[in-house]
Amino acid sequence: MSVFNLDTLLLLPFAAALAMAFMNDRGARTFGVVFTFVQTVLAGYLASGNIPLETLAVKRLWIPQMGLSWSLGLDGANLWLVALTPLLTGLALLTVSERTERIAFYSANLMLLNAMLSGLFLAQNLGLFYVFFEGMLIPGALLVAGWSVKNGRETAVRFLLFTLVGSLPMLLGVLVLAFAGWGTDGTPNLDFTNLVGLPRATQLFLFIPFALAFLVKMPVFPLHGWLPPLYRNAPASTVAVVAAMMSKAGAYGLLKVGLTVFPLAMVEYLNILGTLAVISLLYGAYAALGSDSLREVLAFSSLSHMAMIALGIVTLTEAGTAGSVLQMAGHALATGGLFLAVALMEKRGMPDELRRFGGMANLTPKFTVLVLFLVLASLGQPGLGSFPGELLILTGVYDGYPVIAVLACLGIILAAAYMLRWYQTIFTGDLGTFRPPSDLRGRELAVLLVPVALSLVMGLAPSIFLQPIQAWVAGVL
């Protein structure tokens, strides 16, 4: 067996996180950046198509009495999420300010979050999926509590309360499935492939706690109470990973678990899920339009865009579902890139009040151009990463629900209003009271060039990304 396999891809970041916790500050961050680059290259190699995805599957018994197996796999649903997670983690590490306290421990927690997210996306066993789904709360809460700009402990407690209340019922659902004897020989077996074809009544009952956990994690209105304070208070480098990848944990769960284990329940609750998605989409757009906080605009923008992804999933059409999977990657690059930009601005003493900005285009032309690309990518500009995904989602929604498609388009129009207002307030007009000391240079340019370049590739050649996605979607719908 080759050393370049899914075990390597998953276990090495755990080992790296442990090693980084005992390094000095500069060494830990440098090691983390190099390691995430290696992890990204390995993920890219495994996803390159040179190796059939089905041959990469790993399965070992772990706790057979509970149906738990160490079951990992790559498919069209998780392929790009697995590749983007270490990449964006590495870019986030590059934006960490030298003034940050205990950089080594901070960097180790970011690496541990990367490992947990990678495990979640790779898991092909529902019990293993739950372990990583809950495990990511540990580094997430530590990062928020230990390094937030303000109210760190309160923000972390709020985050934990929302996510634990949402996901503990999911644990009961996992236990019911584990001990109900749906294995082929009557023993517990929580592999996704084994849970296909559950009785309708079981699906309708058990889907509710799973859906609650996923909707809280995304989040959608009215389960979003943890999002504004976390996005406003946590370090911007942490928020970049949370907004880009952790938010996808809920969407991926709704996609993978919903369509694989609970397809009949997805059909039954389609109207409820679709209504929540539309309300969340419009609410997020409206809240972003009225905010004067630089971070809050991006927070509510992310809420609205995640609702668009959820809407595509619950259409249960090939176009809408494939569009949602592609849009997860497009949103990760655009929103993650914007929060990386915020992190670079914070290193220059950036305030959070939009009214203090203005005229930065004259002082930071390189930064201005790169942020413009990321803003346009977030808006779904043709030729950039979010456009093909949003187009497919709207196509899928319009096929069955033309009125909802119109409302979704209204959300896109509002997005143009609040994102262009955000951009213009910061970069155009008269100079504000905040004057950055310098433009981007060196590695800072690379931090923003990477998501911009990948967004261009995704926008101009979407078929590269869509081919494995469509193959997976065709197999589950």
Side-chain angles (χ1 to χ4, degrees):
M1 179 181 295
S2 170
V3 295
F4 298 107
N5 56 37
L6 299 185
D7 283 331
T8 305
L9 188 65
L10 179 54
L11 293 177
L12 283 181
F14 281 101
L18 180 62
M20 290 164 65
F22 295 97
M23 295 181 182
N24 61 48
D25 287 347
R26 184 173 181 179
R29 189 175 63 166
T30 302
F31 177 82
V33 170
V34 173
F35 184 87
T36 53
F37 174 76
V38 172
Q39 188 185 353
T40 303
V41 171
L42 175 57
Y45 169 74
L46 295 177
S48 63
N50 295 321
I51 307 174
L53 295 182
E54 57 273 13
T55 65
L56 295 171
V58 173
K59 182 177 179 180
R60 298 182 183 88
L61 290 179
W62 186 22
I63 309 178
Q65 295 83 358
M66 296 185 63
L68 280 169
S69 65
W70 183 260
S71 184
L72 309 175
L74 271 180
D75 52 44
N78 63 14
L79 190 63
W80 306 118
L81 297 175
V82 170
L84 287 175
T85 298
L87 175 64
L88 288 165
T89 302
L91 295 177
L93 285 169
L94 284 172
T95 67
V96 176
S97 171
E98 288 75 10
R99 297 187 298 271
T100 301
E101 297 180 356
R102 298 167 292 153
I103 291 179
F105 193 50
Y106 179 85
S107 301
N109 275 290
L110 267 182
M111 182 63 74
L112 182 59
L113 182 58
N114 160 39
M116 291 292 185
L117 286 167
S118 298
L120 174 81
F121 297 136
L122 286 169
Q124 302 298 316
N125 175 280
L126 189 57
L128 187 63
F129 176 93
Y130 179 80
V131 169
F132 288 120
F133 192 84
E134 288 296 274
M136 73 176 70
L137 298 181
I138 299 171
L142 288 174
L143 288 165
V144 173
W147 289 272
S148 283
V149 178
K150 59 181 180 180
N151 302 327
R153 291 184 180 179
E154 294 85 346
T155 302
V157 168
R158 190 181 185 93
F159 170 61
L160 283 173
L161 286 176
F162 266 85
T163 50
L164 285 175
V165 169
S167 57
L168 284 178
M170 176 179 166
L171 175 60
L172 296 178
V174 172
L175 293 175
V176 170
L177 289 172
F179 295 115
W182 272 300
T184 54
D185 57 355
T187 58
N189 188 334
L190 290 173
D191 286 355
F192 287 132
T193 53
N194 185 73
L195 295 175
V196 173
L198 294 177
R200 175 183 172 83
T202 301
Q203 290 193 37
L204 295 184
F205 176 70
L206 291 182
F207 177 68
I208 295 173
F210 283 89
L212 176 64
F214 301 148
L215 295 177
V216 168
K217 191 79 77 177
M218 291 176 69
V220 300
F221 178 89
L223 306 172
H224 69 293
W226 63 269
L227 181 141
L230 189 147
Y231 281 41
R232 185 172 56 243
N233 298 331
S237 52
T238 295
V239 180
V241 179
V242 171
M245 305 313 307
M246 184 182 281
S247 64
K248 305 305 177 294
Y252 177 74
L254 188 64
L255 175 84
K256 182 80 172 186
V257 179
L259 294 183
T260 303
V261 182
F262 303 109
L264 299 179
M266 290 281 284
V267 174
E268 184 70 22
Y269 298 124
L270 186 150
N271 290 333
I272 297 174
L273 294 171
T275 300
L276 286 174
V278 171
I279 292 173
S280 186
L281 192 157
L282 296 176
Y283 169 80
Y286 179 77
L289 193 59
S291 177
D292 186 51
S293 164
L294 183 145
R295 283 180 175 228
E296 270 195 359
V297 171
L298 298 182
F300 286 114
S301 168
S302 182
L303 176 69
S304 185
H305 282 90
M306 289 306 300
M308 176 71 81
I309 291 171
L311 189 60
I313 294 171
V314 301
T315 62
L316 302 180
T317 63
E318 289 196 16
T321 306
S324 291
V325 180
L326 185 61
Q327 181 64 352
M328 287 188 212
H331 177 265
L333 291 170
T335 299
L338 285 170
F339 270 107
L340 291 172
V342 170
L344 294 175
M345 293 169 72
E346 284 187 346
K347 292 177 70 174
R348 291 162 167 74
M350 173 206 75
D352 188 52
E353 302 86 357
L354 282 172
R355 61 179 178 273
R356 294 183 59 186
F357 286 92
M360 277 183 55
N362 297 320
L363 304 175
T364 57
K366 298 174 185 176
F367 186 67
T368 301
V369 171
L370 291 174
V371 172
L372 178 60
F373 268 98
L374 294 170
V375 167
L376 293 177
S378 178
L379 294 178
Q381 175 72 21
L384 294 173
S386 293
F387 175 73
E390 281 193 355
L391 183 62
L392 285 170
I393 291 171
L394 290 174
T395 301
V397 174
Y398 185 80
D399 284 344
Y401 307 92
V403 174
I404 293 180
V406 172
L407 293 174
C409 288
L410 176 59
I412 294 174
I413 294 170
L414 291 174
Y418 64 71
M419 284 306 299
L420 291 178
R421 166 181 167 265
W422 183 88
Y423 181 83
Q424 290 171 341
T425 301
I426 296 171
F427 294 102
T428 64
D430 298 329
L431 283 174
T433 58
F434 172 67
R435 290 173 171 79
S438 62
D439 200 355
L440 298 183
R441 54 185 181 271
R443 71 183 186 191
E444 295 177 327
L445 275 171
V447 166
L448 296 188
L449 276 171
V450 170
V452 167
L454 287 176
S455 187
L456 279 167
V457 173
M458 186 176 293
L460 295 174
S463 60
I464 297 174
F465 301 87
L466 272 172
Q467 187 174 357
I469 293 172
Q470 289 173 326
W472 181 82
V473 170
V476 297
L477 289 182

